[in-house]
Amino acid sequence: MQNKLQELTDKLYNEGLSKGKQEAEQMKANAKNEAAQIIAQAKEQAQEILAKAQSEAAELKSKTENDVKMASLQAFTAVKQQIESVITAKSLAPAKAAVAETEFLKEIIKSVVSAFNPQNSDSVALDIILPAEKQADLEQFAKEQLAKICSAGVDVQFSKGIQGGFKIAPKGEGYMLSFTDKDFENIIAEYLRPKTKELLFG
């Protein structure tokens, strides 16, 4: 009887121990599986984060390079324009000086007035606006020499708004042709700028 009880006890113990071992092994296997899944997910997330970071870094690098190229191009263009402006301004200085020179200005005015009053044609009365600062030099010239060229009459005014050159129009026609220093400067500059650019930069 004692033996049977011992056998039964041993059997129950062995079965419980075996079952406990199986459950422990199963739990261990489950834990390993879960750990492997967690590690795999973590690796996958890490790869995604790394790929995103690399993509953002590449995009930032590309954007930075483009910004630097654009800034360089803008700076180069600005420098070119400054060089062109300096050279053009230096080149215009003699032309501005010529227009400001009284005798040269008189010759231009006489040529324009003559063009309005060609020979063998009816004379056209004219309005002329001259620089106020040259009134002392040009008033007598306008009254005497221009009156000879334009028998229909020349009405001369002096304006502080004109620094150099002159403006002229047939009287009562409602329009005026401008030959001021700024006009000459613009005309010459329009010719010089492309030539200057071509000479400097090809």
Side-chain angles (χ1 to χ4, degrees), residues 96-159:
K96 291 176 73 174
V99 175
E101 207 273 315
T102 304
E103 292 306 314
F104 180 70
L105 184 59
K106 287 179 181 179
E107 292 303 315
I108 296 175
I109 294 170
K110 286 185 345 188
S111 296
V112 175
V113 172
S114 296
F116 274 104
N117 292 274
Q119 293 180 350
N120 304 319
S121 178
D122 292 336
S123 186
V124 178
L126 298 172
D127 288 323
I128 299 178
I129 303 175
L130 298 170
E133 65 178 31
K134 289 196 173 290
Q135 185 168 355
D137 296 325
L138 297 176
E139 193 165 26
Q140 195 65 29
F141 156 78
K143 287 178 181 177
E144 293 177 0
Q145 296 190 43
L146 296 186
K148 291 178 183 176
I149 300 171
C150 181
S151 59
V154 178
D155 183 11
V156 178
Q157 298 176 23
F158 293 89
S159 170

Side-chain angles (χ1 to χ4, degrees), residues 48-63:
E48 288 176 358
I49 291 169
L50 180 61
K52 185 178 179 183
Q54 288 174 338
S55 175
E56 289 176 351
E59 185 178 346
L60 179 61
K61 180 184 176 185
S62 175
K63 186 176 182 300

Side-chain angles (χ1 to χ4, degrees), residues 14-50:
N14 289 332
E15 286 178 357
L17 184 61
S18 176
K19 188 175 181 182
K21 283 182 178 180
Q22 287 178 356
E23 289 178 353
E25 288 296 326
Q26 185 63 43
M27 289 174 66
K28 185 178 177 182
N30 289 342
K32 281 184 178 180
N33 288 336
E34 288 179 6
Q37 288 178 0
I38 291 170
I39 290 170
Q41 287 177 353
K43 284 182 178 179
E44 186 178 344
Q45 288 176 351
Q47 289 295 327
E48 288 176 358
I49 291 169
L50 180 61

